[in-house]
Amino acid sequence: MIKNQNHLGALCMILSVLFFSFMDCLIKITATDFAVGQVMFSRALFGLIPIFFLFSKDRFKDFYKTKHVSLHFHRSFWGAIAMYAIFVGIRNLGLAEVTSMAFSGPIWVVIFSILFLGEKIKAKRWIAVGLGFIGVLVISKPGFDNLNFYYIYPVIFTLGFASVSIFIRKLTLVNEPIYLIAFYFSICSGTMGLLTLPFGGWVIPSMYELG
């Protein structure tokens, strides 16, 4: 069992990057077959399933209750915007370009944490963030020879990602359970995805695609 909170946080971040990378690959594969809104809705729908296994049975009737509606709204809204932006970016750009731009997100998290949380960031962490970003650029070798409108979407994602990080931090400081944060995000992102249904592009997936 990991007792050091920093080590546990680092491990969780590594696992999240692995799972998000896998999700990005799946989105890229299915990008031409499904509308972005449909992908958002499906992601939110299936994301709800494990949440119902995270809270105790005695809270089944009122697990959704919270005293911090405003914080949940902002976390969920900006999270849904960030999700839509990164999905559009992945669909219309190369993964190398999107990945290299998306990894500027931690830099914005550091800046936002100073502005909105009043945190003091030591020089060594600034250096670590900068070196990490440079490393991503070196590995992915992005090519921006053909800049177009869609490059704005990864930028929107990074800002949304940073905003989400700040609101999640605020929610954890008031002891909101993780499952509740995930629940409201899934509801919000799924609703925003569903609202795109009238604009067309939704298709019925085959059994293979559904799997």
Side-chain angles (χ1 to χ4, degrees):
M1 181 177 179
I2 301 177
K3 296 182 179 180
N4 188 296
Q5 293 297 312
N6 289 333
H7 293 169
L8 179 60
L11 176 61
C12 290
M13 285 298 296
I14 292 173
L15 290 175
S16 70
V17 169
L18 290 175
F19 283 114
F20 274 111
S21 297
F22 179 67
M23 182 182 70
D24 291 346
C25 291
L26 291 178
I27 293 169
K28 189 65 177 178
I29 293 172
T30 60
T32 57
D33 299 321
F34 302 98
V36 173
Q38 184 175 4
V39 176
M40 281 186 64
F41 175 78
S42 301
R43 189 267 185 208
L45 180 63
F46 287 101
L48 281 172
I49 297 175
I51 294 175
F52 290 99
F53 293 94
L54 297 178
F55 56 84
S56 57
K57 294 181 179 180
D58 58 331
R59 288 215 57 188
F60 186 78
K61 294 182 178 181
D62 63 350
F63 76 92
Y64 56 87
K65 291 184 178 180
T66 178
K67 297 179 181 179
H68 308 284
V69 176
S70 178
L71 289 177
H72 278 291
F73 170 79
H74 285 288
R75 181 268 179 267
S76 301
F77 177 77
W78 294 114
I81 294 296
M83 178 187 289
Y84 180 83
I86 197 66
F87 284 6
V88 173
I90 292 174
R91 178 173 184 169
N92 295 280
L93 302 171
L95 276 177
E97 284 81 2
V98 174
T99 301
S100 62
M101 297 179 71
F103 269 86
S104 65
I107 297 177
W108 289 107
V109 172
V110 172
I111 295 174
F112 282 15
S113 66
I114 296 173
L115 295 176
F116 302 112
L117 296 178
E119 294 186 356
K120 295 181 179 180
I121 309 299
K122 296 181 179 180
K124 63 180 182 181
R125 294 198 175 183
W126 278 109
I127 295 173
V129 170
L131 290 176
F133 180 61
I134 293 173
V136 171
L137 292 177
V138 172
I139 294 173
S140 59
K141 297 179 181 179
F144 298 105
D145 297 329
N146 299 313
L147 288 176
N148 57 61
F149 170 77
Y150 291 106
Y151 277 90
I152 192 64
Y153 285 96
V155 176
I156 295 174
F157 165 77
T158 60
L159 296 175
F161 169 80
S163 300
V164 166
S165 299
I166 298 302
F167 284 109
I168 288 178
R169 177 61 175 166
K170 288 186 175 183
L171 283 165
T172 55
L173 288 175
V174 294
N175 297 318
E176 280 293 86
I178 300 299
Y179 70 80
L180 198 58
I181 298 174
F183 172 76
Y184 282 115
F185 169 63
S186 294
I187 294 296
C188 182
S189 58
T191 301
M192 291 184 67
L194 188 62
L195 290 175
T196 67
L197 179 59
F199 299 98
W202 284 48
V203 296
I204 300 177
S206 64
M207 293 302 297
Y208 172 78
E209 293 169 332
L210 189 61

